[in-house]
Amino acid sequence: MRVAMLGPFRLHSADGKQGAQAHRHLAEAEEAASDMSRTGPAQVVTAMAAAPVLLDENEHEATRERLVLALDSGMGVREMPAVAAIAEIAARWRLRIGDPLGAERMLGLAVRLRGVLDEGDPDLRGVLAELAAHPDPETRRKAFDAGAALSREEAFDELRATLA
């Protein structure tokens, strides 16, 4: 599926060819996933791949919509690492829309759902670096801890409510 090729195309060239190619592959992947008769892994993977591409383009509402689609498509599965990855992307989205404490809380939810953050993800490392520059580390820590203190079910529900 072309969605697997989106990662390399997120690095935009000066002339925009790679960005255009990422959007073309994204559109093809979304079309293929929408042709399937039910929701499930294809929709989750496609929506999760689309969200960072759209966020790179400052398409905040489209990013939120893809995160909702990923969460809704995987509702029956509730595979916690995938849901935690959605929370990590949501943290990046919250940071981009000017809500660093909301980003911290989303990271806390991700830890609650998976047990750890995926610090191998360069996007997440960027979020962590930006949040580290926040002027009030105590407030940041409280927001993170509040998310991490929820039960798994509460964390899932809060993620869903945040994206609604």
Side-chain angles (χ1 to χ4, degrees), residues 33-151:
S34 71
D35 286 343
M36 296 179 183
S37 62
R38 61 183 174 82
T39 60
Q43 286 82 359
V44 174
V45 169
T46 301
M48 286 178 65
V53 171
L54 294 166
L55 196 53
D56 287 346
E57 300 294 322
N58 292 315
E59 296 181 31
H60 299 139
E61 183 59 20
T63 299
R64 186 196 65 77
E65 289 170 358
R66 291 322 186 288
L67 292 173
V68 168
L69 178 61
L71 200 57
D72 287 349
S73 296
M75 287 281 279
V77 179
R78 290 207 178 190
E79 205 265 334
M80 291 307 160
V83 176
I86 294 169
E88 290 170 349
I89 299 168
R92 185 170 168 237
W93 168 67
R94 297 304 301 175
L95 189 59
R96 292 295 168 268
I97 63 171
D99 183 13
L101 296 180
E104 285 284 1
R105 190 163 174 104
M106 290 296 102
L107 294 177
L109 295 179
V111 167
R112 180 61 186 120
L113 293 167
R114 184 192 299 123
V116 297
L117 293 174
D118 180 8
E119 293 186 41
D121 178 351
D123 288 333
L124 182 59
R125 286 195 311 263
V127 167
L128 295 171
E130 277 189 62
L131 289 172
H134 190 276
D136 186 358
E138 179 69 24
T139 302
R140 278 185 41 238
R141 178 44 107 189
K142 285 181 183 177
F144 179 93
D145 289 347
L150 298 174
S151 71

